[in-house]
Amino acid sequence: MDEGKLTALVLLDLSAAFDTVDHSILLPRLSKHIGVKGRALEWCRSYLSHRPQHVCVGEAVSEPVFLNHSVPQGSVLGPQWFTIYIYPIRDIISRYNLSYHVYADDTQIYLSFKPTISQSHISLESLENCISELRRWMKQNFLKLNDEKTEYILIGSRRQLEKLPQNYLTIGESQIYSSPLVRNLGVIMDSTLTMSNHISKITSTSSFHIRNIRSIRKYIDKTAAEQLAHSFVTSRFDMGNSLLYGLPQKHLHRLQLIQNSAARLITKIPKYANITNILKDLHWLPLTHRIIYKILLIVFKFKTDLVPDYIADMLHWYAPKRNLRSSNQLLLHQPKSHNSWGDRAFSVAAPRLWNNLPFTIRSCESINTFKLSLKSHLLRDAFPTLDGKVVRK
């Protein structure tokens, strides 16, 4: 968007994906693609084999049937093994010069292009051809692409989107029209990335839980109330909150009001009491600072090699051509952006926020020390009168 392009994103939906994994295909892929061999491979074979399934109706129990397909859902290995099972799709997608992300059975492919009719036809045709080949591959591997539940969205600025007419993708026998909203791993994305629908969903759901907790607040102590608030409320606007960086304050203010309500609920403070003192006493970072905390924590994990490649590819250490005093300051290279869209990008925002940290925080060695130092720093920034107080982890 920062470069004036549109991005076509397709979210593929698989029917009963984990239940259709064929063991006779999965085990060779574990060996070929991942290098699992010898005793380790036999452990995998043993884990998958002789898994019975039966049906209970009342007191009647059917004879057990041993499963030759599926990986156990809810297990640690299940999502990883499914990802390995569909490992060959990366070669298919790469042949069409498309980008992709895979998370267990959630597969998304996308590409960016200039907002012209000719570029649109070429790009969408490439997506259709890729998806057609993926459908054939999935059929050969006992997977079923759910055409009707597959979603497609065109992302860009309003001005760029207006340059193209209504468009659609042909997937199998279905025509999938561009949707204004899609759900992507729990996040509601709109075509202009305002995130307003996502914020509306968080506020409505969180308000519902706050009302429920308020109805039992007099029966529980402050510790239990805080645990409930973290479980049902703050966890919702913390999940994926780095996507909210750089949004207009009017959008973020709606979430801040939810946090304020949760804080008042815990402390039993009247509605119009000063919320700043309440947040300071709870040692809660305000919403904008929670977003910054999340982004900087990801950068620290990049520093300690704890992030996946797709994040590591967006960050680069600052390397001056001459030996300068800043060479050993653990600074990141900061790309230039053209407008506010680019300022929100992780590849731009993360280096800017990281480079503004004191060197003592950037140079932390352990993640626990970094978290504590970073929270202390952000609390002092949010509440300047906090100096001298102990910061809770």
Side-chain angles (χ1 to χ4, degrees):
M1 293 172 72
D2 189 53
E3 297 172 353
K5 294 182 179 180
L6 296 176
T7 298
L9 169 67
V10 180
L11 307 170
L12 302 179
D13 184 85
L14 299 177
S15 299
F18 281 46
D19 296 333
T20 58
V21 172
D22 190 303
H23 298 168
S24 63
I25 297 176
L26 172 61
L27 290 169
R29 284 188 183 147
L30 284 170
S31 176
K32 177 181 177 182
H33 296 298
I34 308 300
V36 180
K37 297 180 180 179
R39 180 172 294 182
L41 186 61
E42 292 306 311
W43 285 345
C44 296
R45 192 187 308 276
S46 174
Y47 179 72
L48 291 171
S49 61
H50 298 95
R51 290 176 46 236
Q53 175 176 290
H54 57 258
V55 178
C56 299
V57 180
E59 297 181 356
V61 181
S62 68
E63 292 293 325
V65 175
F66 289 95
L67 303 176
N68 295 320
H69 297 77
S70 83
V71 290
Q73 295 194 45
S75 65
V76 175
L77 287 175
Q80 295 181 352
W81 280 3
F82 185 83
T83 303
I84 295 168
Y85 187 76
I86 63 172
Y87 192 87
I89 71 171
R90 57 180 286 178
D91 298 325
I92 297 174
I93 298 172
S94 297
R95 282 202 297 271
Y96 292 90
N97 295 318
L98 303 177
S99 301
Y100 67 95
H101 287 298
V102 176
Y103 183 79
D105 59 337
D106 288 291
T107 302
Q108 46 189 282
I109 57 178
Y110 59 98
L111 82 164
S112 300
F113 54 90
K114 290 291 183 181
T116 63
I117 300 296
S118 59
Q119 284 293 312
S120 171
H121 287 326
I122 294 172
S123 301
L124 297 185
E125 184 180 3
S126 180
L127 277 170
E128 289 177 344
N129 293 336
C130 177
I131 295 172
S132 295
E133 188 169 346
L134 287 174
R135 291 178 82 255
R136 290 193 294 271
W137 180 90
M138 289 178 179
K139 186 176 181 180
Q140 295 169 359
N141 289 268
F142 307 102
L143 297 172
K144 185 179 186 302
L145 182 62
N146 194 331
D147 299 335
E148 295 181 353
K149 289 188 177 181
T150 292
E151 294 184 293
Y152 157 55
I153 185 172
L154 203 58
I155 299 173
S157 67
R158 294 185 187 278
R159 185 176 179 180
Q160 304 300 344
L161 288 169
E162 290 172 355
K163 295 180 180 180
L164 292 183
Q166 178 75 348
N167 56 86
Y168 60 88
L169 291 174
T170 301
I171 301 178
E173 298 179 355
S174 302
Q175 289 183 342
I176 311 297
Y177 283 87
S178 176
S179 172
L181 298 172
V182 295
R183 181 178 292 274
N184 188 359
L185 294 176
V187 175
I188 300 174
M189 299 176 63
D190 57 276
S191 57
T192 55
L193 292 185
T194 63
M195 307 303 290
S196 58
N197 295 87
H198 180 65
I199 291 173
S200 296
K201 180 63 176 178
I202 294 175
T203 53
S204 63
T205 305
S206 298
S207 297
F208 170 78
H209 289 298
I210 286 176
R211 289 194 295 270
N212 284 343
I213 299 172
R214 184 175 288 117
S215 66
I216 62 169
R217 177 64 182 91
K218 61 183 178 181
Y219 304 111
I220 58 178
D221 60 18
K222 181 179 178 181
T223 301
E226 189 169 1
Q227 290 176 343
L228 286 173
H230 284 316
S231 299
F232 292 101
V233 181
T234 60
S235 61
R236 296 185 183 277
F237 53 73
D238 281 346
M239 195 278 290
N241 63 357
S242 56
L243 298 171
L244 307 180
Y245 179 79
L247 288 177
Q249 193 59 38
K250 65 178 181 180
H251 293 316
L252 299 180
H253 181 65
R254 297 165 62 192
L255 293 178
Q256 185 61 57
L257 292 177
I258 293 295
Q259 187 188 39
N260 296 349
S261 297
R264 290 191 175 98
L265 173 64
I266 292 168
T267 55
K268 294 184 176 180
I269 299 297
K271 181 177 180 180
Y272 296 104
N274 189 323
I275 191 61
T276 301
N277 293 330
I278 301 174
L279 295 177
K280 283 166 59 176
D281 292 339
L282 289 172
H283 284 247
W284 284 10
L285 289 170
L287 183 74
T288 53
H289 289 76
R290 295 174 85 95
I291 294 171
I292 293 172
Y293 178 90
K294 176 67 71 63
I295 294 173
L296 290 173
L297 183 58
I298 295 174
V299 177
F300 181 82
K301 291 181 178 180
F302 161 75
K303 174 191 168 187
T304 52
D305 296 325
L306 294 176
V307 297
D309 290 343
Y310 76 91
I311 290 181
D313 290 343
M314 292 189 284
L315 300 173
H316 305 280
W317 293 112
Y318 175 65
K321 296 179 181 179
R322 295 183 293 116
N323 188 17
L324 303 175
R325 189 167 54 181
S326 59
S327 302
N328 59 352
Q329 293 295 304
L330 297 174
L331 298 174
L332 289 170
H333 169 69
Q334 185 175 323
K336 293 182 179 180
S337 58
H338 300 94
N339 51 49
S340 59
W341 301 114
D343 293 340
R344 286 176 55 189
F346 179 81
S347 57
V348 176
R352 179 185 298 138
L353 294 172
W354 176 264
N355 293 347
N356 287 333
L357 284 177
F359 177 73
T360 53
I361 300 179
R362 296 199 303 269
S363 59
C364 288
E365 295 295 332
S366 72
I367 192 167
N368 289 330
T369 303
F370 177 78
K371 285 181 177 180
L372 190 59
S373 301
L374 177 60
K375 187 174 181 182
S376 300
H377 172 74
L378 293 176
L379 280 171
R380 284 192 295 269
D381 182 68
F383 311 118
T385 59
L386 189 66
D387 291 338
K389 289 191 176 183
V390 177
V391 176
R392 291 188 299 173
K393 189 173 179 181

